[in-house]
Amino acid sequence: MRKNLNFIPLNNDINKLSAFIPSLNKDWRDSQRISSKPFQIESLDAVREFQHQGWNIAGALENRGKNRKVANHFIKMEHPDFKILNKKGQTEAVATMNIQNSCNGSKPMELDLGAYRQVCSNGAIAHTSYSNAKVPHSEKGHYSLQEILCDLGIRTQGVMDEFNKLKNNNLTPKEAMALATDAATLRFGTDHDINIEQLLNVVRDEDKGDDVWTVFNRIQENLTQPHRIVDNNGRMMNGVVGVNEDTRINKELFQLAYTYA
């Protein structure tokens, strides 16, 4: 999950979060004639619980539908105590909690654990049976919310351990190319006209290496960031601009990479 997807930086200020993301407030939604479910799961309740667990609000954004009304909002939180270290013992990435919620309750609240790699502003989202949760806007969801939030917090270290596994195995050039080829299909489908080797380009010294984690991050950044890929006609390609598409690619790319762990 890239940090430059129109995220508003919030520096763990819940008042700023409420001010910049008005769709978090039921009164505002009512004023915009956005209906809510009787048992609407409020994102601010999740944010407050995660703050109590030590998570910090990093940023947020709103998405609008075709009718130009705000359809959903997305909040990114980070936990400084859960880290991925580089070879020098320095913090390379920190744990993230991504909260996505629909304003009218048409879709459940989605919670995804991941890791934010600081050097390149890349955010990886794990896709395992225990790294994600959905909370329906129902009476059952309302009463199970606290348990789900606490359970996800407990799972955080396990998810970070899954990311660390990616650092233990190296890829051969053939395996790296196979991973890049499959990654390109995630975004462009099978019918595309790009040179796959571009996804393996090294941009900075920290991107050098053949372990799965490093190759995974190189591919992710080149695949989703703007002006990294040139098609066979010489046209520079745009990056991924939608948070939903970026989330989908992140999850599916992690699944591909994890098969090599």
Side-chain angles (χ1 to χ4, degrees):
M1 179 61 58
R2 303 198 324 276
K3 201 166 187 174
N4 58 351
L5 280 170
N6 298 317
F7 270 97
I8 301 169
L10 295 167
N11 197 29
N12 202 32
D13 190 326
I14 199 167
N15 293 320
K16 284 185 178 180
L17 172 63
S18 298
F20 284 109
I21 310 295
S23 61
L24 291 165
N25 186 285
K26 184 181 184 303
D27 291 338
W28 183 89
R29 296 196 302 267
D30 290 343
S31 73
Q32 300 298 306
R33 298 181 180 179
I34 300 174
S35 60
S36 300
K37 295 282 187 179
F39 288 95
Q40 183 86 5
I41 305 298
E42 297 293 344
S43 301
L44 283 176
D45 292 337
V47 170
R48 292 189 184 98
E49 170 57 30
F50 284 135
Q51 280 188 310
H52 181 70
Q53 296 179 21
W55 294 87
N56 297 325
I57 305 168
L61 59 79
E62 291 178 324
N63 285 327
R64 294 183 179 272
K66 293 180 179 179
N67 60 3
R68 302 307 301 156
K69 286 187 176 182
V70 178
N72 54 51
H73 46 251
F74 190 98
I75 304 162
K76 177 183 172 185
M77 305 187 75
E78 298 176 357
H79 202 305
D81 293 340
F82 296 99
K83 307 171 184 178
I84 295 174
L85 304 179
N86 61 21
K87 294 178 180 179
K88 298 180 180 179
Q90 300 167 331
T91 300
E92 181 177 2
V94 295
T96 60
M97 182 73 71
N98 301 303
I99 305 169
Q100 187 170 0
N101 204 3
S102 60
C103 295
N104 62 5
S106 59
K107 295 181 180 180
M109 174 192 287
E110 295 188 35
L111 305 159
D112 295 293
L113 280 165
Y116 172 66
R117 189 172 181 240
Q118 298 166 331
V119 68
C120 59
S121 299
N122 269 3
I125 299 176
H127 190 53
T128 67
S129 60
Y130 55 86
S131 62
N132 318 98
K134 293 184 179 182
V135 187
H137 297 277
S138 65
E139 184 174 7
K140 180 180 179 181
H142 181 77
Y143 287 111
S144 62
L145 177 63
Q146 185 73 20
E147 181 181 352
I148 291 172
L149 300 180
C150 291
D151 190 41
L152 268 179
I154 293 170
R155 298 181 202 172
T156 305
Q157 185 57 59
V159 172
M160 298 301 280
D161 290 342
E162 296 298 300
F163 283 114
N164 272 309
K165 284 182 181 179
L166 300 181
K167 306 183 80 167
N168 296 333
N169 288 339
N170 286 345
L171 294 176
T172 65
K174 184 177 180 180
E175 288 173 330
M177 182 61 71
L179 179 57
T181 300
D182 290 339
T185 303
L186 294 180
R187 180 178 174 189
F188 304 113
T190 56
D191 185 21
H192 59 75
D193 61 346
I194 66 168
N195 183 348
I196 299 297
E197 291 182 357
Q198 295 175 93
L199 298 182
L200 297 171
N201 286 345
V202 175
V203 177
R204 58 185 73 82
D205 287 342
E206 291 86 352
D207 297 329
K208 294 177 180 178
D210 299 320
D211 61 274
V212 182
W213 167 256
T214 303
V215 175
F216 161 72
N217 276 283
R218 283 209 310 268
I219 291 174
Q220 182 200 43
E221 185 174 9
N222 290 324
L223 184 65
T224 60
Q225 294 277 13
H227 309 140
R228 294 295 182 86
I229 303 172
V230 178
D231 66 20
N232 288 338
N233 293 316
R235 293 189 297 262
M236 192 73 73
M237 303 191 70
N238 294 325
V240 176
V241 295
V243 65
N244 291 328
E245 179 68 357
D246 193 63
T247 299
R248 180 191 68 81
I249 291 174
N250 266 278
K251 287 183 177 181
E252 294 181 14
L253 182 56
F254 175 80
Q255 283 186 300
L256 290 175
Y258 197 72
T259 62
Y260 293 94

